[in-house]
Amino acid sequence: MKSLFSFGPAADVAFVFDGADGRPKAGDLQIFTTDENVSGTVSIVAKKLEHVGIKIELLGVIEMTNDKGYPFEFTSSVRDLAPAGTIEDSQDFGFSFANVDKPHESYHGKTVKLRYFVRLTIARSYATNITREQDFLVHVLGTAPEINSTIKMEVGIEDCLHIEFEYDKSKYHLKDVVVGKVFFLLVRIKIKHMELAIVRRESSGGGSDKANDSETITKFEIMDGAPVKGESIPVRLYLGGMQLTPSHKNISNKFSVKYFLNLVLVDDEDRRYFKQQEITLWRSTIGS
């Protein structure tokens, strides 16, 4: 990956990560796993640039829109690239961050962002330091859970409606398929249609600064018309291709991301009856 930045008359800087040609990407960003080394080359082009030292850092930070303070750093590592000197034309510097802790998955949400990036700093005595950042992504690969129980729940309105719904499991990888059934045990109201939605709930901050944001990722109709007692409606929802992330549970005490299956019934007077069930999402392969 090559990214070129201009600093006017001072310097041009380009980052290239090792293995960029064969590495998975999301948009323009390179993807690393948690146990991979982050290495590459940074090129500095300048006519004559005097400096008092050059360093590069690898940082992992959590930024929240409702946090008035500085971003929270959960990973930080620094390498010195050069002592004081002068760059006359152009110079390349190799860098390597081996065994640097990258415990969390990258996440870009509405109220919170978890970023990984390398930051180059060219320190100068009589002028403002030159700094530039290059983001990259980290994917945390999970393994299939040993226990993955089915979800069985009931929804009822006394003497009017009684249904049971069942999903084949409660934990899914991002390319998985949700398979289930809805059983109608009692129907004394006129149902117009039934729909299934996936909802993402993002929580960040704490106390008076706590922010919650819910977003419907997808919604589709699984039944049209009035069911009768004893009827069973199949459910099959393909997760691949949706804008999903793994679930995040209380990351550094800063934020959480949860997913829910939301089953909604709408009657002929447009009244809505729903039941929501949390599911866990995990990543099985890098780049997907």
Side-chain angles (χ1 to χ4, degrees):
M1 177 180 181
K2 187 172 183 178
S3 184
L4 185 65
F5 303 102
S6 177
F7 298 94
D12 292 330
V13 175
F15 296 90
V16 180
F17 289 117
D18 289 341
D21 291 341
R23 183 177 301 281
K25 295 197 302 182
D28 294 329
L29 299 183
Q30 301 282 323
I31 301 174
F32 292 80
T33 58
T34 55
D35 57 352
E36 281 188 280
N37 297 337
V38 178
S39 61
T41 302
V42 58
S43 301
I44 303 172
V45 179
K47 292 181 179 179
K48 185 176 182 181
L49 177 63
E50 295 182 355
H51 62 85
V52 295
I54 302 173
K55 69 177 182 179
I56 192 167
E57 302 166 272
L58 188 153
L59 297 168
V61 303
I62 296 173
E63 303 171 351
M64 293 181 289
T65 57
N66 61 328
D67 189 349
K68 300 178 179 63
Y70 292 99
F72 171 75
E73 291 186 6
F74 60 86
T75 288
S76 178
S77 186
V78 61
R79 303 285 187 269
D80 289 323
L81 297 183
T86 302
I87 297 176
E88 297 285 357
D89 185 14
S90 65
Q91 197 166 349
D92 294 342
F93 300 93
F95 64 87
S96 179
F97 293 94
N99 303 316
V100 175
D101 194 25
K102 303 185 291 296
H104 309 307
E105 171 114 359
S106 298
Y107 178 75
H108 289 197
K110 291 188 174 181
T111 65
V112 63
K113 180 185 294 185
L114 192 152
R115 296 175 59 210
Y116 289 92
F117 56 94
V118 290
R119 175 193 290 156
L120 178 78
T121 301
I122 304 173
R124 299 193 287 177
S125 295
Y126 304 107
T128 303
N129 291 347
I130 296 172
T131 63
R132 202 51 163 183
E133 299 172 356
Q134 175 61 59
D135 283 62
F136 63 92
L137 302 178
V138 170
H139 282 180
V140 177
L141 302 185
T143 57
E146 294 183 4
I147 299 176
N148 199 349
S149 55
T150 59
I151 299 173
K152 293 183 179 182
M153 297 191 72
E154 297 184 3
V155 179
I157 302 173
E158 188 174 359
D159 296 328
C160 294
L161 178 69
H162 185 192
I163 66 174
E164 293 179 348
F165 64 90
E166 176 181 329
Y167 301 115
D168 61 339
K169 50 191 176 183
S170 56
K171 301 175 182 178
Y172 300 87
H173 62 76
L174 300 185
K175 299 297 182 183
D176 217 335
V177 183
V178 177
V179 177
K181 292 181 180 180
V182 181
F183 303 94
F184 288 85
L185 303 178
L186 175 65
V187 185
R188 290 180 178 171
I189 57 177
K190 293 183 179 179
I191 301 296
K192 186 164 60 175
H193 68 264
M194 181 167 59
E195 60 191 31
L196 183 67
I198 293 182
V199 176
R200 175 165 55 219
R201 184 176 301 161
E202 179 182 293
S203 302
S204 62
S208 60
D209 291 329
K210 187 172 184 180
N212 293 288
D213 183 87
S214 293
E215 177 186 6
T216 299
I217 303 301
T218 188
K219 179 173 64 177
F220 75 105
E221 190 173 281
I222 59 175
M223 184 194 73
D224 184 19
V228 296
K229 178 181 178 180
E231 195 158 6
S232 174
I233 306 299
V235 173
R236 185 173 293 270
L237 174 62
Y238 294 88
L239 302 181
M242 297 183 189
Q243 296 299 313
L244 301 173
T245 72
S247 301
H248 296 270
K249 185 177 180 180
N250 197 26
I251 302 299
S252 295
N253 291 320
K254 297 294 183 181
F255 77 97
S256 298
V257 179
K258 297 180 180 181
Y259 286 89
F260 298 86
L261 289 174
N262 197 12
L263 185 68
V264 181
L265 287 86
V266 182
D267 68 15
D268 60 352
E269 297 181 5
D270 287 329
R271 290 175 296 197
R272 301 170 72 86
Y273 312 89
F274 70 92
K275 191 68 174 182
Q276 196 171 74
Q277 176 63 42
E278 183 177 358
I279 59 174
T280 299
L281 299 183
W282 55 279
R283 185 180 300 281
S284 61
T285 57
I286 187 170
S288 63

